Amino acid sequence: EHTIFLKDYAPTPYSVVAVDMDFKITEAGTRVRTQMTIEPRPETEPGTPLVLDGDGLTLQSIAIDGAPLMMVAYTTDDDGLTVVEPPFRRFVLETEVNLTPETNTKLMGLYRSSGTWCTQCEPEGFRRITYYLDRPDILAPFKVRITAPRDIAPVLLSNGNLIDKGEAGDGMHFALWEDPFPKPAYLFALVAGDLGSITDTFTTSSGRKVDLAIYCTHGKEAECLYAMDSLKRSMAWDEKRFGREYDLDVFNIVAVSDFNFGAMENKGLNIFNDKLVFALPETASDANYANIERVIAHEYFHNWTGNRITCRDWFQLCLKEGLTVYRDQEFSSDERSRPVQRIHDVENLRITQFPEDGGPLAHPPRPDRYREINNFYTTTVYQKGSEVVRMLATLLGEAGFRKGMDLYFERHDGEATTIEAFLKVFEDATGTDLSQFSRWYLNAGTPAVTASDSYDAASQTYTLTLTQKTAPTPNQPDKPPFVIPVKFGLIGPNGSPMGWTAVAGGTVKDDLIVLDGDSVTLTFTGVANRPVPSLLRGFSAPVKLSTNLTQQDLLFLARHDSDPFNRWDALQTVATQLMAAAATGSQPASADVDALRQAIMDTLGDPALDHAFKAQVIAMPDETVIARQIGRDVDPSAVAEARHALIRAIVGPVAERVEALHAELQVIEPYSPGAAQAGRRSLRNGLLSLLTAGSDRGAALAEAQYHAASNMTDRYAALAISAHNWTKAAPALLGDFRTRFGGDPLVFDKWLVASSQAPDDAVIERLRAILAAPDFPRTNPNRLRALLGSFVMSNPAQFARADGLGFRFVTEAAAEIDKVNPQVAARVLTGFRILPLLEAGRREAGRAALEALRNQHTLSRNTGDIIDRILAG
Ligand code: HT7
Ligand code: ZN
């Protein structure tokens, strides 16, 4: 099937000067009339055909400058419309199509969600609305007229500013929107429906008053207040941190229930998955609140990084996504705790991106080919893309990075540009050569960095050697060395930082080593004692670090490192190593377990550390992280068992103290989603998790907490912990939760997630029954992802069962979902990327399930592409 290559990029022969659209919406269907003012580019030859994209459209009429086109003057097919010989001057092309948004289950283009008409155009949805040059380097100002029945659609929204509205006869009304900022079609949006709203205002630093509104289903208005608060804080932060002001008179957000992604940054009209807007303490957890804040910020920040400056082509996706994730992570760090945010983001990277980068779906943050662009909205483009920007900031320093960003906004405002242009602004602003650095964008794979050290007491010399190596990835057999910023410190025997008088052998500036060759050996002189090195502080590069540090050294770092990230990481490394060893047959020595327990208890007792950080320290490594540590021939059941056994060994002797701490930490003040209270709850629930997995006391405690909880954070934690450990009470608690909240779809998702995490052998049967129930909303992406996505990604022992039942359950479900919504099906199937990691029997069972799916069904390009890449890997 057709592969698109970056090397084939060429501008279109025609540009679009302006777009006027007219939507007539009725229950019977939607008529779309589009007038595009088009002109040939200076280099275009006369007679060059105009080729417009279209997907599933049927042309009703076509005219140029008002004159209908003869049949011979144009052709249409499945991929679009061609005007054979357009005028060789500026002209207006008018087309008309009829859409049936009611039957659009792919949720791309114009569709209906709970009766509301809404759109999703990124990346290639606009061509499902009208014939167009649907690519991000075509920028034009849009005027959009919407006419619809007033009773079913009193709210009519599009991008930009509202310039007119009124009656349109026969119970119809209209609104006219104008977006003065030239934009690519993927940022187009339209909403029409009967919606409630909350409103507010924000005054920008230059005094412009912006009207803010969040639209939602009637009755949900109070649940939008936290989102509104997050929006105002985001707007203020972008002014302060990046000097970026909002540019229109209005900023609207709409929450919809059926959405393929988290949210969409359409110019002036962000559309959100409602799970990232609605929050009340009784129905949303602290994690939900933090996510809402983050995604509201992310979409708002796109106004500058994505909208004002957009991508030249979809290969450049991480130009806007990686950068915008970096910006939202920085926002969350400033609003909450920086170290806690960093740990959270790195954990997420290791659990989601490292497996992608080390498996058959690996691709560079800036890929050079794709078959289906929707399959490249990945954790590599988003999260690794952010890490690459973060490394730039580390290498250039805060001031240098800001200078580069200022130049980026100044030089490229209003353009569709590239990763190369992005790197160039930093080169020009700081005089740094970033040609080797650009490899981070162009190469896939997680570099393995190895550190080894030695100390010579006689000469007071400390030697540190760092090497890097990156394994081959699909289409990229050889990896050149990356520029790896390694932040570091040396710690003396009493736990305080150690200095040196001189260093030779490589580039060291303050606390930064730059590893840019295959290896570097640094010699530090004037080092009074043997230090313990703290390397990759703050996770200064997205690499896998292995060191020759002993467990004792690591636990020393866990106690003494001034870098909170490395304190956390040292302890996690010890736990991961012990669990990986146990899963492959070497039971940990009891002295090692005792030492780890002691370090955990000391951390818990340290009054200088905050609750949220302690919660992260005591959270035991995820099963996927342990599996990666093992590296090959993994038996996920053995991993789950080893993990469980180590938790029992750690907690057993201290269960009473842990239980007392759990009791002590109860929050009695009224609920607030802020970091302080949320941190306290996360520690308390982390303790509950340890107790439930690691002692006989936990199950009853979890049951009691479930019933006594006054907020969703505590209730859901108790439910999820009970389900995950499949306690005696778990089935009854799941039953109670379902009846208690069954009517709220977003809470129903929580029930689905908790249900999918059960470790018992009957879990697949139960999930099958849930999915097969006639009233299961099988067209809603949130429901499907809650059930299948979390099963595939977070229940590896059952998903990768030796008998293949887990694999077949998922492929059979995916075959059905693919007919309705290929994007959702494809994403669920990415869970099969773990196959190469598994022991042979499971690997073959997984492959057989995928092959059966591939051979027995006619699949979408989305799922076909994912399966083929996994099977080839
Ligand atoms: N830029 C947005 C991506 C997105 C999307 C992609 C494919 C299909 C549906 C989609 N909805 C939104 C989201 C973002 O990164 O902010
Ligand atoms: Zn984004």
Side-chain angles (χ1 to χ4, degrees), residues 516-557:
D516 53 9
D518 289 331
S519 118
V520 66
T521 296
L522 299 162
T523 310
F524 298 81
T525 43
V527 181
N529 296 97
R530 178 196 171 247
V532 177
S534 166
L535 299 172
L536 211 68
R537 281 184 160 170
F539 200 68
S540 54
V543 301
K544 283 181 203 148
L545 174 68
S546 53
T547 66
N548 61 345
L549 297 185
T550 61
Q551 170 165 331
Q552 201 186 350
D553 290 335
L554 288 166
L555 293 181
F556 175 83
L557 288 177

Side-chain angles (χ1 to χ4, degrees), residues 122 261 263 265 298-299 302 305 320-321 324-325 328 382:
E122 185 177 1
F261 223 73
E265 69 264 23
H298 179 98
E299 305 311 328
H302 267 314
T305 50
K320 72 181 180 82
E321 295 306 347
T324 307
V325 170
D328 83 53
Y382 278 69

Side-chain angles (χ1 to χ4, degrees), residues 452-456 461-465 521-524 527 531 548:
S452 59
D453 67 348
S454 63
Y455 178 68
D456 180 45
T461 301
Y462 174 70
T463 309
L464 177 66
T465 299
T521 296
L522 299 162
T523 310
F524 298 81
V527 181
N548 61 345

